[in-house]
Amino acid sequence: MTTQRLPFPVPAERAHYFVGQYADMHHLVEDLVVPDGVPEAAATVLRTARELLRQSYYCYEFSTVAVMHSLIAVEIVLRDRIPGTGKKPLQQLIKQGDETGILTARQAEYLDYGRKIRNGMAHGKTTHAAMSPAMAVPMVTTSFTIVSELCATPTK
């Protein structure tokens, strides 16, 4: 039996396009702070998305995974805020959130755009997709912002 050993992480070949060294990744994500009042399930997911962005220095594709993961946090909070959601898909949650005023039109638009990207990758329509941290950070920031806004607003 041969034992295969994984190498220690090395910077992704494309890492130098967005930062000089791993320590610089902190500057990309330092504003992604989970505020008080966010349910722990969503907070954990947001922190994971932030760390995926940071680790994209070593695995470039983690930026894309971070975007997809950050949408899970939004979905968790929407399910918490909208009564009777059951197992409705995210598209219906967004629509219902928009119709009931839980989401603003801007939030619903951003979420629907992110949902389409996520679905394309999750269902194999978009393969080998990798977005740079420069593209991913604003999208993950949007998820952080929407979760923060939803959790700051009293439940209807």
Side-chain angles (χ1 to χ4, degrees):
M1 175 188 219
T2 305
T3 303
Q4 185 179 16
R5 296 184 59 119
L6 294 174
F8 283 102
V10 295
E13 292 179 22
R14 297 172 273 192
H16 70 276
Y17 291 127
F18 50 94
V19 294
Q21 58 187 350
Y22 177 73
D24 297 331
M25 293 301 290
H26 178 74
H27 299 297
L28 289 176
V29 301
E30 66 186 341
D31 294 332
L32 297 176
V33 177
V34 179
D36 293 336
V38 172
E40 188 55 32
T44 299
V45 172
L46 289 174
R47 286 190 291 269
T48 300
R50 179 187 61 220
E51 294 311 312
L52 283 164
L53 281 171
R54 193 188 321 247
Q55 295 304 315
S56 67
Y57 180 79
Y58 295 109
C59 182
Y60 191 79
E61 290 76 9
F62 279 0
S63 290
T64 304
V65 178
V67 171
M68 293 173 61
H69 207 69
S70 71
L71 286 169
I72 294 169
V74 177
E75 188 168 353
I76 289 168
V77 172
L78 283 175
R79 286 190 189 287
D80 187 54
R81 306 284 298 179
I82 300 171
T85 57
K87 294 186 177 193
K88 290 181 182 177
L90 183 55
Q91 182 177 13
Q92 288 181 6
L93 292 176
I94 294 167
K95 182 179 180 193
Q96 190 172 350
D98 187 27
E99 290 172 350
T100 60
I102 290 171
L103 292 172
T104 66
R106 174 192 61 85
Q107 290 170 330
E109 180 183 347
Y110 286 158
L111 288 174
D112 197 52
Y113 177 72
R115 178 194 63 79
K116 289 174 183 174
I117 292 171
R118 182 201 68 176
N119 287 355
M121 288 185 258
H123 299 294
K125 294 178 182 172
T126 305
T127 57
H128 305 293
M131 58 181 71
S132 70
M135 290 173 58
V137 168
M139 296 174 92
V140 172
T141 299
T142 298
S143 291
F144 267 76
T145 301
I146 291 172
V147 165
S148 297
E149 291 168 352
L150 288 173
C151 290
T153 305
T155 306
K156 292 184 178 187

